[in-house]
Amino acid sequence: MKIVLDAMGGDFAPESTVAGAILALKEYPKISRLFLTGDEVSLRSQLQKQNFSDSRIEIVPTTQVVEMKDKAIDAVRKKKDSSISRAVDLVKHGEAEAVVSAGHTGASVAATTIKLRMLEGIERPGIASFFPTEKNTCILMDAGANVDARPKHIFQYAIMGSVLAKHFLGYANPDIGLMSIGEEDVKGSEFTKEIFKLLKASTLNFRGNIEGNDLFKNPVDIVLCDGFTGNVVLKTMEATAGAVFHWLKKELLKTPVRIAGAWLARNAFRSIRKQTNPEMYGGSPLLGIDGICIIAHGSSSPLAIKNAIRVAMEFIEQGVNPKIVEALREYNSHPPAEGSLTESHS
């Protein structure tokens, strides 16, 4: 497998990205080539610091870096020699099979959309983010790619999310919930009500509206929302999980008895921490583009980068994109009256 890593992308790049690349190469022999795009001097320095050499690594020198203050479209048009642009170019020209980046999300979305184009039948890409519940691993979509989505975009996310859940997570008939402010059909904005009609008329396994408290109390397999809502929900969940562990640790260290109890229960705490640690999930696939792009958290550690590369490998193996195209063709050939993706829904 040939994968390209945007080695300058992320809050702690290139230290974390190079360290994560090294972890991936040590653990995954299936990687035949791992391209690192970025400043050559910095990348070689990081490899030397970690005393690592592997013939499977290839550095692709670049002269520009996308800053977080840059506008997404400008990052693509004005910084053509940036680490993310060059990384996507490698996928476009068939030199790599997938790109991984922990950098500017907007730039990654713009670069892949412009350079790789969209899958047949998809109008806007969406980030599919995985998070654990008590009963399953859930897919939240969109987690931040399309903040100004239209109802038909969300409906397309439902189809793509269903394919991902079936072929990536192994769910036979994944159920779908629409994020809203009430379970009743009449609740929500005009935007969510229009999406509800499309989903209700479809052949998808649509459970109906769900509220924020349903994410863990009564979870579905796929949660649908626009990118603005999804990004807020995802970051709130991550921050809450971190805060709970911080509070718990603080309280457990207050007395010798609590410390002893914590020591006895340490394996349980480690297990829960592992389940809720976003680093273990690594990265989120950007669905809808005609290629593979895995978007990692900006603050990704080496472990998170390694796992993002693992997700890219799994995506290559599963061949999700052709299955999405097939599902869309099948749906559009026999669409319910209100569920057709060929209609114009504002």
Side-chain angles (χ1 to χ4, degrees), residues 57 147 164 192 237 328 331:
I57 284 184
V147 297
L164 185 65
T192 58
M237 288 192 298
L328 283 163
Y331 188 87

Side-chain angles (χ1 to χ4, degrees), residues 14-288:
E15 293 87 353
S16 285
T17 50
V18 172
I22 291 172
L23 290 175
L25 287 169
K26 288 180 177 179
E27 187 167 338
Y28 307 126
K30 288 184 178 180
I31 299 176
S32 60
R33 180 70 64 186
L34 183 58
F35 297 96
L36 304 180
T37 58
D39 179 72
E40 184 174 10
V41 174
S42 298
L43 298 182
R44 292 199 184 281
S45 175
Q46 290 299 319
L47 289 170
Q48 289 173 359
K49 282 182 181 179
Q50 302 197 45
N51 193 29
F52 185 79
S53 177
D54 192 309
S55 60
R56 293 176 294 165
I57 284 184
E58 181 174 336
I59 294 176
V60 179
T62 65
T63 60
Q64 296 174 301
V65 176
V66 175
E67 307 290 345
M68 294 306 295
K69 63 182 179 181
D70 292 337
K71 292 183 178 179
I73 196 67
D74 288 343
V76 179
R77 291 178 176 171
K78 297 180 180 180
K79 292 188 174 182
K80 296 183 179 179
D81 197 40
S82 69
S83 55
I84 181 59
S85 286
R86 290 295 301 278
V88 177
D89 283 339
L90 290 173
V91 176
K92 178 181 178 180
H93 298 305
E95 297 178 59
E97 298 169 86
V99 57
V100 175
S101 178
H104 193 306
T105 298
S108 296
V109 173
T112 52
T113 302
I114 292 171
K115 294 174 182 285
L116 303 181
R117 304 299 182 183
M118 305 301 299
L119 291 174
E120 178 187 344
I122 299 295
E123 294 186 18
R124 295 288 187 276
I127 298 173
S129 188
F130 305 102
F131 70 91
T133 73
E134 187 177 348
K135 299 179 180 179
N136 64 354
T137 295
C138 182
I139 297 172
L140 174 70
M141 189 169 182
D142 170 29
N146 186 10
V147 297
D148 295 314
R150 295 181 179 182
K152 60 180 175 181
H153 300 156
I154 306 298
F155 189 77
Q156 290 167 4
Y157 293 164
I159 294 177
M160 291 193 290
S162 294
V163 172
L164 185 65
K166 288 178 182 178
H167 298 285
F168 201 76
L169 297 179
Y171 299 161
N173 188 27
D175 58 350
I176 300 167
L178 176 63
M179 182 62 69
S180 188
I181 57 172
E183 294 182 358
E184 296 83 4
D185 297 9
V186 295
K187 290 289 183 70
S189 63
E190 292 304 314
F191 174 68
T192 58
K193 289 176 183 176
E194 183 64 24
I195 302 167
F196 187 98
K197 291 178 183 177
L198 293 173
L199 292 167
K200 191 73 174 178
S202 76
T203 55
L204 297 169
N205 186 13
F206 179 50
R207 200 173 83 184
N209 288 336
I210 62 169
E211 299 179 78
N213 57 352
D214 290 317
L215 291 174
F216 297 98
K217 184 180 69 174
N218 190 24
V220 291
D221 297 318
I222 303 160
V223 176
L224 295 176
C225 54
D226 63 272
F228 183 93
T229 303
N231 194 263
V232 171
V233 169
L234 184 64
K235 289 180 178 178
T236 300
M237 288 192 298
E238 291 176 349
T240 301
V244 168
F245 275 98
H246 174 75
W247 298 332
L248 186 61
K249 182 178 179 180
K250 184 178 179 180
E251 291 298 320
L252 289 173
L253 293 176
K254 281 188 174 181
T255 69
V257 173
R258 289 183 180 183
I259 291 173
W263 187 84
L264 292 172
R266 66 191 184 282
N267 289 336
F269 290 136
R270 287 171 182 168
S271 178
I272 295 173
R273 179 59 179 168
K274 184 176 180 180
Q275 292 179 50
T276 59
N277 185 0
E279 293 183 345
M280 301 305 297
Y281 292 86
S284 302
L286 180 64
L287 298 185

